[in-house]
Amino acid sequence: MLCQLGVALAYATCYSLLRCVSVSHWNLVAGLRVLCLLLVPPRYWLALGVGEGMPLAWLGWDSHERFGTLWAVAMSVPPILLSTPVFAWLRWRVPVYRGGQVNVTSLMTAVLAAAVISALINTGTLAVLTVQPPEHPPVISIHILLEYFLGSYLGALTVVPPVFAWLSWSTRATSPELSAIRRAVAVDCARGVVPPLLLLIWLASESHGDEVMAIARLAMFLPAAWLTMRRGWQGAALGGLLASIAIELTMTVARDPAIIQAQALIAFAVSSLIMLGARVSLPSPVAPPKGEHEEMLRGFRLAQQGLYQEELRLRHVAESLDQLGQSMRDGQRRMMDRLRPVLPANMEQSYARHLDLTQREMQRLADTLHPRAWREHGLAATFLDGPLLQAASLVGADYRCTLTGNGLNQLAPDVHMMLYRQTCEVMVYLLAREPVRHIRVHIRGGCTHGRRWVVLRMTARRAVPSLRGRPVPEWRQLVALLGTNGQGMATVRDRALIYGGMVHERESEDQLGVTLLLHDALRADTPVHDFVPAIRSVSA
């Protein structure tokens, strides 16, 4: 009896606290409800209903004179009790969590089902609401139903998957491994997720205009996509949690349509990333059965498609930033033309410098997301005269790139983009180790057994022994210039595996070198060792 009472009081307390920070389009209470129905034993479900009914009954009684007794009675009915039949069937037929393993498909089904049930209950409660003249009762429409659904779905998506992601890590690892995982996840979030979200929150302030605000909100799913590549569906869950909080922090008025649109996009993007992250798996050294092997290849293809879609979105955002910068430049010029007769000469120069700095920063941000040289001049110009050359010049290094072989231009566009991103990561990795000089990049394309490939070799002359082990002073600027996060060789190897390739790292007294191989498409009947001669021919 005491356990039942404790569960009821604990749930009522958590429910009341989450309700204070929830809104109709971000209903965190729905997430708490799903979490308890999936993890708490069924013998405590009645206590959960009592715990949810207490604050609801108080809320209904407090407003029954304004909205009617029927509404107060309907408001007092705990939605968690109405959801128990559906979740009892889910736990019996398709359990979400069993043996330390999380069934992501069942998890997302539970979140979707809870959102539908919550939307129907909230809409039904609103339908019996009555008001006193001269007020008018709300008109029930499909828009209200969809808003309730979105709020419950996003609220559950914010709370539930991160908890199960943490449980999946906790049950698969020993205590030292779990501590290492927690540190690695915390470092990933601190380096690659939180800083971009803080920048986007700043850009989404009213002082930057509606267009910049809209673009910044839409771009908040990008850190979650990056964390998905690092940590799979668990990374997507944590990234979605942080992105949802970031969007909510940009809200300036209640029920802002722009916020609702941005949250709808985040809900769709995070759901897709969670499902995609759950499908991607790394190849096992032991050959799997045929069905599992085909499933593994399909996961790699989905990962390639997901990465390419993210690149297309980055390109779209970069083009939007360019257009926005052009609009701002034209508007600022018109403003300066009107104000020039009344401005002192020194103030005019100060304003001109400030406007020029703003334009350069917009161009730099767009170039970081997707290189302008790529959009205007193609692959060769990007490697010869693009951001890589600028990064080398920034640290005082000599840079030269050579393109050889045949069929390089016949590779798929996503392979081109992955090759560029990998090159940027490798350059940042080398410069984070020591201030290297004379950076040489050799890119060679070819075809073996009907399968196209590309090999990248980057070498650099090492610094004197006294400077080794120290990153270049401009390392942080390089990260911003090349659009990377300094993720290191582990991520370079993981991305190469997605494209059926490999990475070799070499170190001598005078040189540092990295060679990587990417394939145009995965093919099950072609072993990796068939392409080792291609790497050796470039390394020779």
Side-chain angles (χ1 to χ4, degrees):
M1 186 65 182
L2 291 178
C3 291
Q4 299 280 349
L5 180 61
V7 169
L9 293 178
Y11 185 86
T13 302
C14 295
Y15 184 96
S16 302
L17 293 176
L18 286 180
R19 188 176 180 85
C20 295
V21 297
S22 297
V23 291
S24 61
H25 52 271
W26 195 50
N27 187 11
L28 298 179
V29 171
L32 176 65
R33 188 179 301 131
V34 174
L35 203 59
C36 291
L37 288 175
L38 290 178
L39 295 178
V40 175
R43 64 179 180 272
Y44 293 111
W45 283 1
L46 182 59
L48 295 177
V50 173
E52 188 173 66
M54 288 189 291
L56 289 178
W58 172 261
L59 180 63
W61 174 255
D62 189 52
S63 304
H64 78 282
E65 294 181 354
R66 180 181 177 186
F67 299 130
T69 304
L70 182 59
W71 173 86
V73 173
M75 189 70 183
S76 302
V77 177
I80 194 170
L81 293 182
L82 301 179
S83 305
T84 51
V86 175
F87 279 83
W89 181 86
L90 285 173
R91 291 183 62 159
W92 176 53
R93 298 288 297 182
V94 281
V96 175
Y97 187 67
R98 174 178 289 178
Q101 298 294 326
V102 178
N103 187 332
V104 178
T105 303
S106 300
L107 178 65
M108 298 305 295
T109 302
V111 170
L112 181 63
V116 172
I117 296 172
S118 180
L120 293 176
I121 293 174
N122 290 334
T123 305
T125 304
L126 187 65
V128 300
L129 182 145
T130 59
V131 294
Q132 301 295 328
E135 297 184 35
H136 299 284
V139 178
I140 304 300
S141 63
I142 190 66
H143 176 77
I144 291 178
L145 180 63
L146 290 177
E147 184 175 336
Y148 278 135
F149 170 78
L150 174 63
S152 300
Y153 183 78
L154 186 60
L157 200 64
T158 302
V159 175
V160 179
V163 173
F164 279 92
W166 204 255
L167 287 176
S168 69
W169 282 326
S170 301
T171 54
R172 289 184 307 171
T174 61
S175 181
E177 292 174 345
L178 180 59
S179 299
I181 290 174
R182 288 175 176 174
R183 285 195 299 270
V185 172
V187 170
D188 286 343
C189 292
R191 289 182 178 178
V193 179
V194 175
L197 287 179
L198 292 177
L199 175 62
L200 291 172
I201 291 174
W202 175 72
L203 289 175
S205 61
E206 291 183 339
S207 60
H208 292 92
D210 294 339
E211 293 182 354
V212 176
M213 183 185 299
I215 293 174
R217 285 171 176 168
L218 294 179
M220 286 184 178
F221 77 95
L222 295 176
W226 173 82
L227 198 58
T228 304
M229 294 187 292
R230 295 279 292 171
R231 301 293 168 185
W233 73 267
Q234 296 96 333
L238 295 178
L241 166 65
L242 297 175
S244 299
I245 295 175
I247 285 186
E248 197 63 25
L249 291 176
T250 65
M251 185 175 66
T252 55
V253 295
R255 304 174 69 87
D256 186 357
I259 285 285
I260 296 177
Q261 293 175 5
Q263 287 179 325
L265 175 65
I266 289 294
F268 174 77
V270 172
S271 301
S272 302
L273 290 173
I274 289 176
M275 297 301 294
L276 176 64
R279 303 293 290 183
V280 175
S281 59
L282 296 180
S284 173
V286 180
K290 183 177 179 181
E292 295 183 11
H293 187 69
E294 293 177 353
E295 189 70 17
M296 180 183 67
L297 291 180
R298 184 171 178 269
F300 276 102
R301 294 188 186 100
L302 287 174
Q304 293 175 2
Q305 294 172 7
L307 290 173
Y308 186 50
Q309 290 297 324
E310 297 306 321
E311 291 293 346
L312 292 180
R313 292 188 181 97
L314 287 176
R315 176 169 183 167
H316 176 69
V317 174
E319 292 173 347
S320 300
L321 284 176
D322 282 338
Q323 296 174 3
L324 178 61
Q326 181 64 36
S327 301
M328 292 175 58
R329 183 162 52 250
D330 295 341
Q332 290 166 350
R333 286 176 180 173
R334 289 193 296 268
M335 181 186 66
M336 289 299 300
D337 291 341
R338 293 183 180 180
L339 295 179
R340 186 171 288 110
V342 298
L343 285 177
N346 58 343
M347 292 186 64
E348 180 181 350
Q349 294 175 358
S350 176
Y351 286 152
R353 286 194 301 270
H354 177 71
L355 297 179
D356 183 61
L357 179 62
T358 302
Q359 292 301 321
R360 288 202 302 269
E361 185 63 21
M362 290 285 290
Q363 293 174 0
R364 186 199 64 78
L365 180 58
D367 209 40
T368 297
L369 294 174
H370 197 278
R372 180 187 297 270
W374 192 291
R375 286 174 276 152
E376 296 179 354
H377 305 293
L379 173 69
T382 305
F383 282 101
L384 296 175
D385 303 315
L388 292 166
L389 176 61
Q390 300 175 19
S393 301
L394 181 65
V395 298
D398 178 34
Y399 171 85
R400 188 173 65 198
C401 178
T402 305
L403 304 176
T404 60
N406 54 10
L408 187 59
N409 291 329
Q410 298 178 19
L411 293 168
D414 59 322
V415 182
H416 287 166
M417 288 306 306
M418 180 53 61
L419 178 65
Y420 171 74
R421 297 297 183 189
Q422 294 282 72
T423 308
C424 293
E425 290 288 353
V426 171
M427 178 177 283
V428 171
Y429 165 73
L430 294 180
L431 291 170
R433 290 190 55 176
E434 56 189 76
V436 297
R437 296 293 183 264
H438 303 292
I439 300 174
R440 299 292 179 262
V441 176
H442 186 186
I443 300 174
R444 179 185 177 187
C447 182
T448 305
H449 301 307
R451 189 182 186 191
R452 297 198 176 276
W453 48 263
V454 59
V455 173
L456 163 74
R457 182 191 181 198
M458 181 180 293
T459 58
R461 184 177 298 175
R462 303 193 67 177
V464 296
S466 60
L467 296 178
R468 294 177 184 177
R470 302 178 184 177
V472 294
E474 301 85 359
W475 185 73
R476 296 295 179 186
Q477 295 175 256
L478 293 177
V479 171
L481 176 62
L482 297 177
T484 70
N485 290 287
Q487 302 164 11
M489 291 304 297
T491 298
V492 174
R493 297 180 191 277
D494 292 343
R495 291 181 178 178
L497 283 175
I498 291 177
Y499 282 85
M502 62 180 68
V503 179
H504 285 174
E505 186 176 359
R506 300 176 309 282
E507 179 177 344
S508 65
E509 185 62 27
D510 300 325
Q511 280 191 341
L512 293 176
V514 175
T515 303
L516 64 89
L517 165 71
L518 302 177
H519 287 127
D520 197 18
L522 291 172
R523 202 169 89 182
D525 57 349
T526 306
V528 174
H529 60 73
D530 285 348
F531 303 97
V532 174
I535 296 181
R536 291 176 178 170
S537 65
V538 175
S539 302

